[in-house]
Amino acid sequence: MTDSSPDALAAALESARYDALAAGDYAAFGAHLDEELSYIHSSSSVDTKASYLAQLESGFYRYGPVEHPIDRVLDAGGLLFVYGGMVCDVLVDGTQKHLDNVTTAIWRRSGEAWRLVHFQSTPRPKA
């Protein structure tokens, strides 16, 4: 039996998105993104769906595997708020970086599909 709880849905959506990102499968990654996406990076730069995909496809960002623990999920009808983290190594314009961030992802139902409409990543304080 498939678990249809909000927690299971959030885990499946986040895993599919991050797996596609780490694999460099930007067509699959883009399929998870809403046309109205606002993607706020930990550097405070902001991308739309088109601008983020263009940077990925150009090689500006190259992600390795991403750990993405989920701390809490809020089901708000047609919106799913996912609070958690993002830990990974990423190459940003040729510079290797390690990310250890707190994240908020907001998924919006579009028909039968869910699309990421908002993402914000904030660096955790260094110990």
Side-chain angles (χ1 to χ4, degrees):
M1 174 177 250
T2 302
D3 185 350
S4 61
S5 71
D7 288 352
L9 175 59
L13 291 169
E14 291 288 276
S15 289
R17 174 173 71 95
Y18 281 121
D19 289 351
L21 181 64
D25 186 348
Y26 303 131
F29 179 74
H32 294 288
L33 307 180
D34 192 272
E35 293 302 321
E36 296 181 39
L37 175 71
S38 178
Y39 193 103
I40 304 172
H41 297 271
S42 59
S43 65
S44 78
S45 64
V46 180
D47 273 310
T48 63
K49 177 181 179 177
S51 65
Y52 192 36
L53 287 173
Q55 288 190 323
L56 288 168
E57 290 165 357
S58 75
F60 185 84
Y61 294 112
R62 291 278 183 226
Y63 289 86
V66 180
E67 293 176 41
H68 52 93
I70 294 174
D71 298 325
R72 186 167 68 100
V73 175
L74 172 64
D75 182 354
L79 296 173
L80 195 64
F81 293 76
V82 183
Y83 305 101
M86 175 184 186
V87 180
C88 68
D89 292 317
V90 61
L91 196 62
V92 180
D93 197 21
T95 301
Q96 188 69 40
K97 296 187 177 198
H98 179 75
L99 303 181
D100 184 4
N101 299 334
V102 175
T103 61
T104 300
I106 303 174
W107 293 82
R108 176 167 60 184
R109 178 176 277 163
S110 176
E112 292 300 311
W114 288 87
R115 303 279 185 264
L116 184 71
V117 69
H118 177 82
F119 180 80
Q120 183 160 356
S121 182
T122 304
R124 293 183 200 275
K126 294 187 185 208

